[in-house]
Amino acid sequence: MVPKAATFPSGIKALADFVHSKGLKLGIYSDAGIQTCSKTMPGSLGHEEHDAKTFAMWGIDYLKYDNCENTGTSAKERYPVMNKALQNSGRKIFFSLCEWGQEDPATWAPAIGNSWRTTDDIQDNWDSMISRADMNDKWASYAGPGGWNDPDMLEVGNGGMSMEEYRCHFSIWALAKAPLILGCDIRSMDNDTYSLVTNKEVIAVNQDKLGVQGKKVKNGDLEVWAGPLSGNRVAVVLINRGTSKATVTAQWSDIGLDSSAIVDARDLWEHSTSASVKNELSATLDSHACKMYVLTPH
């Protein structure tokens, strides 16, 4: 692989140095096949050692490794080869496996990579987003520090959903400890989108040091998602998946709290706190709207 001169006249190493000077990291894309999904660029199949060393020399920090043009060989055979090559490259590179959840990677990828796609590609609409959340949820117990389930990138800001729907999207991904990778063009991001994706309280749930993936604890149109956080706290998302306004309720027993618990409930989107809440948490929500809380027991 060589940099495309017209696009990267100074080379990838110079680009990486510039990105690092801004306090950021640089990711790159390749494929566990003979070509990438564009079918115009070479994949890394059969060239893993050479390509991994090239990425390391360039100063790459993150590799998304796709699954197109894969010659029909099992992902369980192809992806470990790149893992070994990255280990031998001399640089710490985050390894993001993307075989679209075809061979249940949550059951084997934790030994190989740092994240693994649990779903096929997401699209910028409610049905696609919420179904990816459902697909990802079944693998919650396999995630943890060092290795994460990935239900695909965030569509927030691309225009196909309402801001309420995007708020649900961001809330579930944060609770599920999914990689928060923006899929919109940040150069043209509007103020509402910027405010949503920079909510530090929601991001803090995603980055919580306990590293336990939150999951769905109450099914149906009036849905509850929850998971433990460090400091004996609990993160909760209430979602109205139905078509009309309704009240969603989380009982303490639904979310792992003792029935006698008294909590302070911090609303992460409103940045407000309700003190001394007992027994349950309720919110009346429009269709496809949500609330996200962190509960701190007294």
Side-chain angles (χ1 to χ4, degrees):
M1 291 187 182
V2 295
K4 185 176 180 180
T7 309
F8 305 105
S10 301
I12 305 296
K13 177 69 167 66
L15 175 63
D17 290 345
F18 174 76
V19 170
H20 293 151
S21 77
K22 301 295 184 183
L24 301 170
K25 296 182 183 295
L26 184 65
I28 204 164
Y29 170 97
S30 190
D31 195 289
I34 56 175
Q35 288 182 312
T36 65
C37 295
S38 70
K39 298 186 180 181
T40 61
M41 298 289 176
S44 292
L45 188 65
H47 301 274
E48 293 88 352
E49 286 286 337
H50 184 96
D51 288 356
K53 283 187 168 57
T54 300
F55 298 152
M57 179 181 66
W58 286 343
I60 298 299
D61 304 295
Y62 176 106
L63 170 64
K64 175 178 174 176
Y65 204 46
D66 220 333
N67 195 33
C68 290
E69 305 298 310
N70 61 40
T71 70
T73 310
S74 169
K76 295 178 185 178
E77 295 180 32
R78 289 176 286 114
Y79 281 79
V81 181
M82 180 54 87
N83 168 57
K84 185 177 179 182
L86 291 173
Q87 299 295 329
N88 293 337
S89 72
R91 182 174 179 82
K92 187 176 181 180
I93 297 175
F94 185 108
F95 188 25
S96 171
L97 287 74
C98 182
E99 56 82 88
W100 316 312
Q102 289 186 341
E103 296 185 55
D104 298 342
T107 62
W108 51 269
I112 296 166
N114 304 108
S115 68
W116 45 87
R117 276 278 297 280
T118 52
T119 70
D120 53 359
D121 289 353
I122 193 171
Q123 295 177 329
D124 185 21
N125 62 71
W126 171 265
D127 288 342
S128 176
M129 181 277 289
I130 206 71
S131 65
R132 299 305 176 278
D134 293 339
M135 291 176 206
N136 187 64
D137 184 55
K138 67 182 285 190
W139 305 109
S141 63
Y142 293 89
W148 309 102
N149 292 313
D150 177 10
D152 207 0
M153 68 180 67
L154 293 159
E155 293 288 351
V156 179
N158 281 329
M161 288 185 258
S162 69
M163 287 308 297
E164 285 290 353
E165 291 172 332
Y166 282 139
R167 192 173 290 115
C168 293
H169 185 8
F170 200 74
S171 298
I172 298 171
W173 262 237
L175 183 86
K177 307 299 188 289
L180 299 181
I181 300 176
L182 297 178
C184 68
D185 186 341
I186 62 174
R187 297 169 300 177
S188 56
M189 184 187 294
D190 62 28
N191 290 335
D192 288 342
T193 299
Y194 179 79
S195 176
L196 195 156
V197 301
T198 57
N199 184 320
K200 292 184 178 181
E201 294 191 72
V202 176
I203 293 169
V205 170
N206 180 261
Q207 297 291 301
D208 183 69
K209 64 184 180 182
L210 193 63
V212 174
Q213 179 173 327
K215 55 189 177 182
K216 194 188 309 185
V217 297
K218 194 173 183 180
N219 286 300
D221 283 347
L222 309 181
E223 206 162 70
V224 179
W225 296 63
L229 300 174
S230 59
N232 225 19
R233 299 168 302 145
V234 179
V236 180
V237 177
L238 308 179
I239 305 176
N240 179 6
R241 291 176 67 155
T243 56
S244 56
K245 181 179 282 193
T247 299
V248 185
T249 301
Q251 305 286 343
W252 281 184
S253 57
D254 295 331
I255 59 177
L257 285 175
D258 187 271
S259 60
S260 62
I262 301 173
V263 307
D264 291 338
R266 177 69 174 175
D267 185 324
L268 304 190
W269 290 111
E270 295 295 330
H271 302 297
S272 62
T273 303
S274 299
S276 301
V277 181
K278 302 176 182 178
N279 304 320
E280 65 182 30
L281 192 64
S282 288
T284 300
L285 301 170
D286 290 331
S287 171
H288 296 183
C290 72
K291 286 280 193 178
M292 186 173 189
Y293 302 92
V294 168
L295 308 184
T296 304
H298 289 191

